[in-house]
Amino acid sequence: MERVLERSNLIQALRQVKSNAGSPGADGMSVEALSGHLRQHWPDLRERLLAGTYRPQPVRRVEIPKAGGRRMLGIPSVVDRFIQQALLQVLQCDWDASFSEHSFGFRPNRSAHMAVTCAQGYLSAGYSWVVDVDLEKFFDRVNHDKLMARVKQRISDARVLKLIDRYLKAGALSAGKLQPTPEGTPQGGPLSPLLANLLLDDLDKELERRGHRFARYADDCNIYVRSAKAGQRVMASVTKYLERVLKLKVNETKSAVDRPWKRKFLGFSFTARRPNRRRVADAAVDRFKDQVRQITRRTSGVSLSEVLTQLRVYLKGWTNYFRFSQTLSRFKELDKWIVRRLRCYLWKQWGRRGYRELRALGVTRELAWNTSKSAHGPWRLSRSPALSFALPGRYFHARGLPSLYDYAIGP
């Protein structure tokens, strides 16, 4: 605990919490108010932490959309985020070196891209079947006894053990009601990913003991084998281990033994032919299109300039991650699709003045008239000669729309 409360460690934790920003917890305190609160209350907080009497506040439970359903987040108060971050920095420094080299999630100097590269290496070596293991509501179903038993193997300070246990059992506020948390680790707190890695390190060590080739990123685990028969055998044995030893449930509907190019891993998949290049997974493209549809919905009532500003932020963030793909044809396809969405947006916004706008952009009188009187909907018209001529891709690029393809291939 003394290491956690060292001044240099606390300063680093405060900076990290401020840079992460995020929503207030159950007490409503914002990140901006944290520094002032600590200046006033830190001596008392520090004394309680050293004495082992500090009690965390319940997390604020919120539901957010995710692919294929909803995800429950538990947002700690900013004070608890600060304390968890300080604790994380010390524990991660102590524990990380003992974790598996095949574990890539939420660890220093490791990334999702490294996990995908690792998987690609197995595929290139001839392990062309994947055992895709999906853990059902992993963060919500972590067994506290199993987790704390592993924490106690690594920590002897009773105050730290008590603090971690209290964080796990602090409860959650939802719709104004306090709900107990007899299992799970709140997905939203700084400490949760490290605790998840600690529990799942047992799985990593078991897979290594069996000689399997695998890549794990948090609760996403892919094991690579040479045949479907071997894959079915591994799936059965790993499921048995997870459920009996770690008390975790495998989602049978989302887990599968299949070819890697028919599955997705961290948003990526692979081409079926050698050399099995990385590509953006179909599910990731579907989520991308849903987000762009939301930004460019024709009933939003905002200007084209505002739409392009929102798109610019989203597209650059998306491309920063997915430019790791080795097949760029999909980026060209998406560029064209986005332009069509924007044509639809402008056409709807123009309304009755569509004819005048087309004429102002150089479309002939006859073509502009026929287009403006067409019975076809905006999506069909977005490929029409008139709108293709009046609103080519360069029209939107000149107004700030980035090109996914150009950005992906770099300078």
Side-chain angles (χ1 to χ4, degrees), residues 212-348:
H212 289 313
R213 289 149 183 84
F214 69 97
R216 183 179 65 79
Y217 190 96
D219 55 334
D220 287 333
C221 184
N222 278 5
I223 307 165
Y224 291 83
V225 295
R226 290 191 182 273
S227 68
K229 187 176 181 179
Q232 296 295 347
R233 187 169 60 249
V234 170
M235 176 66 84
S237 64
V238 169
T239 298
K240 184 177 179 180
Y241 175 84
L242 286 166
E243 296 184 350
R244 288 191 177 182
V245 178
L246 298 184
K247 304 300 181 185
L248 298 171
K249 184 168 178 57
V250 172
N251 189 327
E252 295 182 1
T253 60
K254 292 185 178 180
S255 300
V257 176
D258 208 339
R259 295 292 196 178
W261 48 87
K262 294 182 180 179
R263 306 294 294 177
K264 63 179 177 67
F265 184 44
L266 303 174
F268 290 92
S269 188
F270 304 98
T271 57
R273 293 182 180 180
R274 289 184 177 272
N276 305 114
R277 293 178 298 164
R278 298 183 297 270
R279 65 178 182 86
V280 183
D282 293 341
V285 172
D286 291 341
R287 289 196 297 273
F288 171 87
K289 287 187 171 183
D290 286 343
Q291 184 62 33
V292 172
R293 287 189 186 101
Q294 179 66 18
I295 295 172
T296 60
R297 64 192 187 282
R298 297 191 292 274
T299 57
S300 64
V302 300
S303 66
L304 177 64
S305 176
E306 175 60 26
V307 169
L308 290 174
T309 297
Q310 294 179 38
L311 275 178
R312 192 156 52 243
V313 172
Y314 177 68
L315 297 184
K316 286 190 174 180
W318 190 87
T319 317
N320 269 335
Y321 182 74
F322 284 106
R323 67 191 300 183
F324 188 62
S325 170
Q326 294 172 312
T327 57
L328 300 180
S329 58
R330 179 151 273 178
F331 291 83
K332 284 185 175 180
E333 295 168 5
L334 290 174
D335 273 336
K336 293 177 182 178
W337 180 83
I338 292 168
V339 168
R340 286 189 67 188
R341 288 290 308 175
L342 290 171
R343 286 174 184 162
C344 289
Y345 187 86
L346 269 185
W347 185 247
K348 183 72 173 180

Side-chain angles (χ1 to χ4, degrees), residues 116-163:
V116 174
T117 300
C118 178
Q120 188 178 20
Y122 298 140
L123 185 53
S124 299
Y127 295 85
S128 55
W129 287 85
V130 63
V131 181
D132 188 353
V133 181
D134 184 273
L135 295 175
E136 188 173 287
K137 297 182 179 179
F138 169 72
F139 283 92
D140 296 332
R141 293 187 172 173
V142 168
N143 183 283
H144 289 175
D145 292 338
K146 294 287 183 183
L147 175 58
M148 287 307 299
R150 285 149 182 81
V151 174
K152 288 174 183 176
Q153 291 172 0
R154 294 172 179 252
I155 296 176
S156 58
D157 190 327
R159 297 165 299 180
V160 176
L161 291 171
K162 193 180 296 184
L163 181 60

Side-chain angles (χ1 to χ4, degrees), residues 319 323 328 403-411:
T319 317
R323 67 191 300 183
L328 300 180
S403 164
L404 294 179
Y405 180 78
D406 290 345
Y407 192 72
I409 62 175

Side-chain angles (χ1 to χ4, degrees), residues 53-58 77 80 84 162-163 166-168 170:
T53 59
Y54 177 80
R55 290 192 172 275
Q57 297 183 53
S77 69
D80 283 323
Q84 282 193 38
K162 193 180 296 184
L163 181 60
R166 285 173 176 169
Y167 272 124
L168 294 174

